[in-house]
Amino acid sequence: MSNIRERIIKLRKLMKEKGIDIYIVPSSDYHQSEYVGEHFKSREFISGFTGSAGTVVVTENEAGLWTDGRYFIQAEKQLEESPITLFKMGEENVPTFIEYIGKSLKDGQCLGFDGKVLSVKNVLDIKNGFGKKEIKLEDRYDLVNEIWSDRPALPKSNVFILDEKYCGESFESKIKRIREKMSNLSVDRHILTSLDDIAWLYNIRGRDIKNNPVSLSYTMISIQEIILYIDKNKITEEVEKYFIDKNIKIKDYFSIYEEVKNIPEKDKVLLDINKVNYLIYNSIPAGTEIIDKPNPSTLMKACKNDIELENLKNAHIKDGVAVTKFMYWLKKNIKSQEITEISAAEKLESFRREWEDYLEPSFNTISAYEANAAMMHYSANKDSNSKLAPRNLLLVDSGGQYIDGTTDITRTFVLGECGDEIKEHFTLVLKGMLSLSKIKFLYGVTGTNLDILARQPVWSRGIDYKCGTGHGVGFLLNVHEGPHSIRWQYNPQVLEAGMTVTNEPGVYIQGSHGIRLENELIVRNAEKTNFGQFMVFETMTYAPLDLDGVVSELLNEEEKEFLNDYHQMVFEKISPFLNEEEKNWLKTYTKKI
């Protein structure tokens, strides 16, 4: 922690030189991405905290890290003996970082941040927290860059084209739909900066962020022209021809910051203040009318077309084969081989790599044994890497990027003897997953309305999990995708046909164990009656749920029937890819209960 202490001291020295009283270091890149490339891990560099979400605030005498419930245990460990205080977001009597800044700043003082890495919404919320205080904003300086001597360079990976046989819709069709939305809103321009939206629109992918097939870029769309701002060194001859054929202009990645200054003041500009960074927004001429709406592409992208859904189901079969083979290998060898959290994750990765069209993981695999699994987003390293034993539970949350889709699956495996409480918790989590999977609901329902189905079994025992129940998943894109979700915190987005969403309740007992079971679901239209359009979920994750953890007496007959039908489907889809020994084993782990 001496390195962290030294970095905070250096940062404060720079703050003093620039006349800055409080400085913010968020987790994001220039595009508000959840997961960022190595160049953008400033918050990790300054704090030592490696989770994907968090904000550091540094004052003259204090430093704080704000993160959410997924990372409380991890952050506590990583901030031990650190000069940085952990603020647990959402907990009672814990201020938000915005409230903390508003209270800490005095009239006439200066708040500093790099305007390229804070969203417009963040800055406006911060300014609202000032009340009547006169506070100066200084958005020009990336102070972390000045003390990060060996900072990695910006990524340089080539762009590639995603064939229409995978994505199911041409660029021409997508841009037409975007422009129709622009026309409906009477806007002249649309600034789009979120990387997954840009990749979806142009039917391109990249490798600029590990596990996220995107390329650093911005785009500006008008009725007359389409401009993509990107490092031209990433454009191959094939991709250049593609862009020329589509009448897409290519300009330098950073040139957008100057070009937005030249937007005519009479223009109306559509942008999403949650996604666009403050420096772009602040560079638009002051008289220009800003229309703040979600990017139209975000909802379009979330509602997968029939070709995407068929491809995704194929990707999930391949992924299910890999996870099933891993489960067989784990059960067979746990008593005879030395297996660690890391070697287990590597073994699972080797099964995925057997598929020719597998590209990379969709996120860093969480392989967590016993008490480590109580940390929702635990990441094993050489110091924490636990040796597995034939007892208790191993939680593995993983996923793959295939050319025909993105997957996300969690299975908790019973490695041997475990206590009655652990098995009860396992079964409660299973009950929640089954309850959500089999529900039929009226169109107009949101994920907020449905969250209770997954949470009720654990709530009935006075237990909760400090995260959402489900999130959208991209198509060869980000593993976390909006605008929809399943969580009790309010999200107004209606669940639409074609959306994909995870179903992943859990139990996390600090110092003991963690359990999560996760399938992906497709939102489908069911029957339409006099009462309206009804909707159902179709499960598209195909891998056995470990029956060794199930207390069958805690399941009702409807739950047993749904589980049995699910396991029959798993056997039918996965067994053709297994050898006879594996197939016979799978019969046992998909048997009726």
Side-chain angles (χ1 to χ4, degrees):
M1 281 302 164
S2 60
N3 283 344
I4 302 302
R5 198 174 302 277
E6 289 170 9
R7 290 168 188 172
I8 296 288
I9 290 170
K10 288 179 181 178
L11 183 63
R12 285 188 175 128
K13 184 179 178 183
L14 287 169
M15 289 165 58
K16 191 170 183 179
E17 289 173 4
K18 307 290 187 187
I20 294 169
D21 298 286
I22 294 183
Y23 193 77
I24 306 171
V25 185
S27 299
S28 55
D29 57 14
Y30 303 154
H31 307 271
Q32 303 307 304
S33 306
E34 177 185 10
Y35 297 102
V36 300
E38 295 301 315
H39 177 83
F40 292 104
K41 293 187 177 180
S42 298
R43 191 227 59 230
E44 180 180 326
F45 174 81
I46 204 70
S47 69
F49 169 62
T50 60
S52 67
T55 302
V56 167
V57 175
V58 179
T59 73
E60 183 182 3
N61 300 310
E62 296 179 317
L65 168 75
W66 280 256
T67 193
D68 62 60
R70 295 172 297 169
Y71 294 112
F72 287 170
I73 301 172
Q74 177 182 336
E76 283 177 348
K77 286 178 176 288
Q78 292 183 330
L79 296 183
E80 280 178 5
E81 300 179 17
S82 166
I84 300 172
T85 301
L86 173 62
F87 289 82
K88 297 181 177 181
M89 290 165 54
E91 295 292 279
E92 192 174 355
N93 298 322
V94 175
T96 65
F97 82 90
I98 291 174
E99 290 168 341
Y100 176 89
I101 289 169
K103 185 177 179 181
S104 301
L105 279 170
K106 296 179 176 63
D107 201 38
Q109 287 192 315
C110 177
L111 175 67
F113 53 87
D114 177 2
K116 298 188 297 299
V117 295
L118 271 185
S119 72
V120 181
K121 179 68 162 59
N122 270 159
V123 177
L124 295 181
D125 286 346
I126 289 167
K127 289 170 76 172
N128 287 337
F130 294 159
K132 295 181 179 179
K133 296 176 186 175
E134 290 291 330
I135 302 296
K136 179 186 175 186
L137 294 184
E138 178 52 84
D139 63 0
R140 295 176 296 169
Y141 300 121
D142 178 359
L143 296 185
V144 175
N145 187 61
E146 298 188 34
I147 61 175
W148 194 353
S149 58
D150 58 348
R151 185 174 194 170
L154 285 169
K156 298 284 186 183
S157 70
N158 284 347
V159 170
F160 64 94
I161 301 163
L162 185 63
D163 197 291
E164 209 172 306
K165 70 181 181 182
Y166 298 118
C167 61
E169 185 181 7
S170 67
F171 162 74
E172 289 84 355
S173 171
K174 291 177 179 180
I175 196 67
K176 181 182 177 184
R177 289 205 280 155
I178 296 288
R179 281 175 164 157
E180 285 172 356
K181 288 287 186 183
M182 291 171 62
S183 178
N184 293 340
L185 293 168
S186 301
V187 299
D188 303 287
R189 295 173 188 271
H190 176 32
I191 296 174
L192 187 61
T193 65
S194 40
L195 301 180
D196 57 336
D197 284 298
I198 293 170
W200 175 86
L201 171 61
Y202 291 107
N203 289 336
I204 59 173
R205 299 295 188 268
R207 306 293 287 270
D208 277 357
I209 301 177
K210 181 184 176 186
N211 305 333
N212 294 259
V214 295
S215 189
L216 296 181
S217 52
Y218 307 97
T219 198
M220 186 151 51
I221 302 164
S222 68
I223 301 303
Q224 294 79 27
E225 64 179 1
I226 308 157
I227 305 171
L228 179 66
Y229 301 90
I230 190 168
D231 181 346
K232 294 179 182 180
N233 293 317
K234 299 175 181 180
I235 308 299
T236 64
E237 286 186 20
E238 178 193 10
V239 175
E240 184 180 24
K241 183 179 183 303
Y242 172 84
F243 287 146
I244 291 170
D245 290 345
K246 309 293 184 189
N247 293 316
I248 300 163
K249 293 183 179 178
I250 302 300
K251 296 192 177 182
D252 181 69
Y253 176 58
F254 285 107
S255 65
I256 189 172
Y257 290 93
E258 287 302 314
E259 294 218 347
V260 295
K261 294 177 181 177
N262 300 319
I263 292 174
E265 288 197 6
K266 65 178 178 57
D267 280 8
K268 290 184 179 179
V269 179
L270 171 65
L271 56 80
D272 185 347
I273 64 170
N274 291 289
K275 300 291 187 180
V276 171
N277 72 51
Y278 185 71
L279 191 57
I280 287 177
Y281 172 85
N282 214 28
S283 300
I284 297 171
T288 308
E289 184 177 352
I290 302 294
I291 308 299
D292 169 33
K293 297 279 186 185
N295 296 323
S297 51
T298 301
L299 182 57
M300 296 175 188
K301 172 169 54 66
C303 299
K304 311 294 188 285
N305 60 52
D306 290 342
I307 291 173
E308 286 176 309
L309 291 173
E310 284 308 305
N311 280 316
L312 276 169
K313 288 164 75 172
N314 288 332
H316 275 278
I317 290 173
K318 289 176 278 195
D319 211 55
V321 171
V323 173
T324 302
K325 285 185 173 183
F326 170 75
M327 182 177 176
Y328 166 75
W329 170 84
L330 183 66
K331 295 274 189 179
K332 182 181 178 182
N333 294 295
I334 186 62
K335 292 182 179 178
S336 59
Q337 287 187 23
E338 180 172 311
I339 304 172
T340 67
E341 291 169 330
I342 291 176
S343 69
E346 290 170 346
K347 188 69 176 180
L348 174 55
E349 174 69 5
S350 73
F351 288 124
R352 286 195 168 101
R353 284 199 304 267
E354 290 178 3
W355 295 104
E356 189 176 334
D357 49 8
Y358 174 73
L359 303 177
E360 63 180 336
S362 54
F363 56 97
N364 290 335
T365 296
I366 299 167
S367 176
Y369 181 53
E370 291 188 329
N372 288 339
M375 293 179 271
M376 291 182 206
H377 281 220
Y378 167 79
S379 180
N381 56 50
K382 59 182 176 59
D383 296 320
S384 68
N385 187 25
S386 290
K387 181 180 176 182
L388 311 187
R391 65 175 185 273
N392 294 328
L393 307 178
L394 173 70
L395 185 156
V396 181
D397 188 348
S398 67
Q401 297 285 10
Y402 299 82
I403 196 65
D404 48 2
T406 302
T407 68
D408 185 4
I409 175 174
T410 308
R411 290 295 183 264
T412 301
F413 303 106
V414 179
L415 302 186
E417 278 297 314
C418 56
D420 291 343
E421 181 185 59
I422 289 176
K423 286 192 174 183
E424 180 189 13
H425 288 170
F426 188 103
T427 310
L428 293 174
V429 172
L430 176 62
K431 284 172 71 71
M433 175 200 249
L434 296 175
S435 179
L436 181 57
S437 299
K438 63 187 178 67
I439 191 65
K440 181 182 288 187
F441 55 96
L442 192 64
Y443 176 77
V445 158
T446 71
T448 307
N449 301 133
L450 299 182
D451 181 81
I452 181 64
L453 295 168
R455 224 174 274 266
Q456 192 275 332
V458 295
W459 274 3
S460 71
R461 301 296 203 276
I463 300 170
D464 187 33
Y465 45 96
K466 299 287 186 182
C467 61
T469 294
H471 56 82
V473 179
F475 183 91
L476 188 55
L477 278 173
N478 300 351
V479 74
H480 294 158
E481 179 178 270
H484 58 297
S485 63
I486 300 176
R487 57 177 60 243
W488 64 263
Q489 296 91 343
Y490 182 60
N491 180 345
Q493 177 58 55
V494 169
L495 294 174
E496 301 279 358
M499 285 180 168
T500 60
V501 65
T502 63
N503 172 7
E504 46 182 314
V507 166
Y508 308 93
I509 306 300
Q510 188 168 355
S512 178
H513 60 277
I515 300 161
R516 179 161 65 251
L517 301 173
E518 176 187 19
N519 281 347
E520 279 190 57
L521 310 173
I522 303 170
V523 182
R524 296 286 198 185
N525 288 322
E527 72 271 21
K528 191 172 186 179
T529 72
N530 293 335
F531 298 97
Q533 175 68 54
F534 282 85
M535 317 294 288
V536 292
F537 289 125
E538 175 189 347
T539 300
M540 66 168 172
T541 301
Y542 315 114
L545 295 153
D546 195 343
L547 296 176
D548 292 339
V550 178
V551 181
S552 59
E553 293 79 12
L554 294 178
L555 300 179
N556 61 39
E557 291 307 310
E558 192 177 353
E559 291 165 342
K560 289 178 184 177
E561 182 182 1
F562 191 94
L563 178 60
N564 290 337
D565 289 347
Y566 172 72
H567 273 152
Q568 182 180 346
M569 177 178 70
V570 168
F571 186 83
E572 290 171 356
K573 290 187 180 294
I574 301 302
S575 61
F577 300 93
L578 305 180
N579 63 37
E580 283 305 308
E581 186 177 335
E582 292 166 335
K583 195 177 295 185
N584 290 330
W585 171 87
L586 183 59
K587 282 181 183 176
T588 301
Y589 275 89
T590 55
K591 68 184 179 183
K592 290 187 175 183
I593 63 170

